[in-house]
C-alpha cells in the first residue's frame, strides 16, 4: 500500500506554504474569525476553493488536496487555513454534491472567489448531539416554505451570506434549505464569543419565507444524505485541528532546542524528549486517519468519520497541552498563539457531535459490521 504523496500533491502543500510566508506571516494570530481578506488572496492564487469544480471557480482537485493546502498555509497561519476549510468542506461541499445547477451557479462562485461564506445551522437549544429532535419546521405555502424555529451556536454567523439550515419539512422528514441572510422573517442575533473568542449566533425564524427552489435535500432519505455529506465536514474540521496542533509542535520543538536551563537546552532533558516523541506519534497517527478518510472519491464512511473525529480531536488536544508545558510561561502568559490554539482545539471534542456520542456510534457500527477493514 502506497502512502506517499504524489509530486503534484507535495507541490500544492509547498506552494501554499510559500504563499502564506509571503502574504500572511505578519498578521498571523490577529484575527477574530475567518480572515476574508486572506481568503481573497488565496483565491487569486487558486489556493482557496481547491476542491470545488473549475466551472464554479474552484481548482477541481480533491478533498485531500484541500487538506494539503490547509497544511501549507496553516504552518504559517492556522486561522487563514480555516478559510480553505470553509470554502471546500461543509455547506459548499454539500451544495456541490446535492445542489441543482442553479444552486451551484448561485452559491459556489462567490465562495470560490473569497467573497462569500456559507454557514451551517443544525443545532438547537434543545437539540444538540440529538439532531433529529429538532423542531424548526417549514410549512408549504404556494411557491414558498414558511419557516419557524430557532437555531443555536452557529459559527461564522457574523459574516455568512447564507445558511444551510436543517428543518423538518411538511412530510415529517428532516431536510435542508438554503436561507439567504436577507430572507424576510429571518434574524441573525448578535454573536457571542465562544471560549476561543470566535463569534457564534442564534438564528430566529419567524414566518421566514424561503422559496422552494432553495431546498437542497428533501424526502425520506434526505437526513441520511446530509449526514453522509457532513462526514466530510467532520474530517475537514479535524484537519483544522491537526493544522493548529502541528503549529504548536513546531514552535515547541524549536523552543526546546533554544531554551536553556541548568546549562543546557531543555530539549536535551529526557522528560522533554519524551513529550516531543509522543507529540510526533499523535500527529502522525492523526494525519493518517485524516488522509485515509479522504483517500478516494467517495464521501467518508460513518465509522471512518467517527474514528477520526474522536482520535484526532483528543490526540491533538494532548499535543497542544504538551507544547504548552514545554514552553511554560512563554506560552501561558499573555495573549499567546498557544493560548488561542488550546481553546480552539478543545471545542472540537464538542462540535460536530460530542466525542461521547461518536464513541457510541463507533460501538454500534462494530456490533453491526465488525472491525472496519
Amino acid at each position: 500500500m502506497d502512502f506517499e504523496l504524489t509530486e503534484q500533491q507535495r507541490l500544492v502543500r509547498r506552494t501554499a506554504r510559500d504563499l502564506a510566508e509571503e502574504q500572511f506571516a505578519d498578521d498571523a494570530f490577529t484575527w477574530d474569525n475567518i480572515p476574508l481578506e486572506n481568503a481573497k488572496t488565496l483565491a487569486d492564487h487558486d489556493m482557496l476553493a481547491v476542491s470545488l469544480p473549475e466551472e464554479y471557480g474552484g481548482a477541481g482537485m480533491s478533498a485531500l488536496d484541500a487538506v494539503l493546502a490547509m497544511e501549507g498555509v496553516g504552518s504559517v497561519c492556522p486561522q487563514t487555513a480555516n478559510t480553505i476549510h470553509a470554502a471546500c468542506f461543509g455547506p459548499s461541499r454539500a451544495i456541490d454534491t446535492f445542489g441543482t445547477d442553479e444552486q451551484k451557479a448561485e452559491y459556489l462562485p462567490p465562495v470560490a472567489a473569497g467573497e462569500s461564506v456559507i454557514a451551517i445551522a443544525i443545532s438547537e437549544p434543545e437539540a444538540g448531539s440529538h439532531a433529529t429532535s429538532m423542531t424548526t419546521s417549514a410549512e408549504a405555502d404556494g411557491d414558498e416554505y414558511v419557516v419557524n424555529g430557532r437555531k443555536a451556536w452557529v459559527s461564522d454567523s457574523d459574516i455568512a451570506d447564507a445558511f444551510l439550515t436543517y428543518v423538518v419539512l411538511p412530510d415529517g422528514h428532516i431536510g435542508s434549505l438554503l436561507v439567504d441572510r436577507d430572507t424576510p422573517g429571518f434574524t441573525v442575533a448578535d454573536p457571542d464569543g465562544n471560549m476561543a473568542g470566535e463569534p457564534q449566533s442564534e438564528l430566529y425564524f419567524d414566518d421566514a419565507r424561503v422559496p422552494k427552489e432553495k431546498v437542497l435535500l428533501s424526502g425520506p432519505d434526505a437526513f441520511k444524505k446530509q449526514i453522509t455529506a457532513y462526514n466530510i465536514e467532520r474530517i475537514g474540521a479535524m484537519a483544522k485541528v491537526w493544522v493548529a496542533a502541528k503549529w504548536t509542535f513546531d514552535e515547541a520543538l524549536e523552543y526546546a532546542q533554544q531554551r536553556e536551563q541548568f546549562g543546557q537546552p531543555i530539549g536535551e532533558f529526557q522528560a522533554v524528549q519524551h513529550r516531543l516523541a509522543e507529540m510526533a506519534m499523535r500527529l502522525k497517527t492523526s494525519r493518517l486517519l485524516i488522509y485515509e478518510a479522504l483517500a478516494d472519491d467517495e464521501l467518508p464512511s460513518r465509522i471512518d468519520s467517527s474514528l477520526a473525529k474522536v482520535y484526532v480531536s483528543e490526540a491533538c488536544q494532548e499535543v497542544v497541552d504538551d507544547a504548552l508545558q514545554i514552553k511554560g510561561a512563554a506560552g501561558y502568559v499573555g495573549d499567546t498563539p498557544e493560548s488561542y490554539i488550546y481553546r480552539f482545539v478543545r471545542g472540537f471534542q464538542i462540535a460536530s457531535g460530542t466525542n461521547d456520542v461518536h464513541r457510541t456510534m463507533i460501538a454500534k457500527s462494530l456490533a453491526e459490521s465488525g472491525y472496519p477493514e
Side-chain angles (χ1 to χ4, degrees):
M1 184 178 295
D2 186 8
F3 287 99
E4 288 294 316
L5 298 176
T6 66
E7 182 53 39
Q8 180 180 356
Q9 289 171 326
R10 293 180 185 277
L11 179 62
V12 168
R13 187 165 59 191
R14 187 166 58 248
T15 301
R17 181 185 177 95
D18 290 345
L19 177 63
E21 288 177 338
E22 177 184 338
Q23 298 285 342
F24 311 137
D26 291 344
D27 294 324
F29 297 103
T30 63
W31 308 96
D32 294 327
N33 199 352
I34 290 179
L36 288 176
E37 61 188 75
N38 288 359
K40 293 176 182 177
T41 300
L42 288 169
D44 290 341
H45 292 82
D46 295 324
M47 279 291 161
L48 180 65
V50 177
S51 59
L52 291 184
E54 292 181 275
E55 62 186 298
Y56 300 114
M61 293 189 280
S62 69
L64 178 57
D65 290 313
V67 167
L68 295 173
M70 289 173 64
E71 289 184 13
V73 171
S75 64
V76 177
C77 181
Q79 289 170 301
T80 300
N82 293 347
T83 67
I84 301 173
H85 171 268
C88 294
F89 297 93
S92 300
R93 183 62 180 240
I95 293 169
D96 181 32
T97 303
F98 300 116
T100 65
D101 290 341
E102 292 76 15
Q103 289 170 344
K104 294 177 185 180
E106 179 179 359
Y107 289 102
L108 295 184
V111 169
E115 298 171 351
S116 180
V117 171
I118 305 172
I120 189 164
I122 303 176
S123 295
E124 299 179 1
E126 304 302 325
S129 294
H130 188 197
T132 54
S133 66
M134 68 178 63
T135 59
T136 299
S137 63
E139 298 296 332
D141 184 13
D143 294 332
E144 297 178 318
Y145 282 115
V146 180
V147 183
N148 284 282
R150 175 184 176 193
K151 296 294 180 180
W153 308 300
V154 178
S155 298
D156 303 328
S157 54
D158 59 324
I159 56 174
D161 299 302
F163 297 80
L164 175 56
T165 307
Y166 286 39
V167 300
V168 180
L169 292 169
D171 61 4
H173 298 292
I174 295 175
S176 52
L177 306 174
L178 291 163
V179 180
D180 296 330
R181 193 180 190 95
D182 60 357
T183 297
F186 172 58
T187 303
V188 181
D190 292 337
D192 291 318
N194 62 21
M195 187 180 286
E198 298 169 327
Q200 293 181 303
S201 294
E202 291 194 346
L203 311 180
Y204 297 97
F205 301 85
D206 184 13
D207 288 337
R209 306 192 73 86
V210 180
K212 287 186 175 178
E213 62 263 26
K214 299 289 186 176
V215 174
L216 183 67
L217 281 168
S218 62
D221 60 348
F223 186 73
K224 181 178 179 180
K225 287 181 178 179
Q226 288 168 165
I227 293 301
T228 300
Y230 195 63
N231 285 339
I232 199 169
E233 157 68 12
R234 290 191 176 104
I235 301 301
M238 291 308 100
K240 292 198 297 185
V241 167
W242 187 93
V243 162
K246 176 60 162 52
W247 188 96
T248 66
F249 170 82
D250 291 338
E251 288 292 307
L253 179 61
E254 182 179 359
Y255 185 83
Q257 294 166 340
Q258 295 177 353
R259 171 68 166 168
E260 291 192 1
Q261 290 289 276
F262 305 100
Q264 65 185 53
I266 63 172
E268 294 182 10
F269 292 104
Q270 190 177 67
V272 175
Q273 292 172 344
H274 284 186
R275 284 187 189 274
L276 290 166
E278 291 287 345
M279 293 161 73
M281 288 187 284
R282 291 184 181 114
L283 286 169
K284 182 76 168 181
T285 306
S286 294
R287 184 156 67 175
L288 284 173
L289 283 169
I290 293 168
Y291 284 11
E292 182 183 42
L294 301 176
D296 54 42
D297 293 332
E298 299 296 324
L299 294 173
S301 68
R302 181 180 67 177
I303 190 167
D304 282 347
S305 171
S306 292
L307 286 169
K309 200 276 182 184
V310 173
Y311 183 84
V312 175
S313 63
E314 294 180 0
C316 286
Q317 184 70 49
E318 292 175 334
V319 169
V320 176
D321 190 71
D322 279 340
L324 188 58
Q325 190 68 28
I326 290 170
K327 292 196 72 173
Y332 184 75
V333 176
D335 188 16
T336 65
E338 285 83 4
S339 172
Y340 164 73
I341 290 175
Y342 190 93
R343 292 174 282 117
F344 171 77
V345 170
R346 182 59 181 85
F348 287 91
Q349 294 183 49
I350 301 170
S352 300
T354 67
N355 284 8
D356 307 280
V357 169
H358 279 281
R359 279 188 165 87
T360 300
M361 292 166 61
I362 292 168
K364 182 178 179 181
S365 179
L366 292 174
E368 292 173 350
S369 307
Y371 183 83
E373 299 294 344

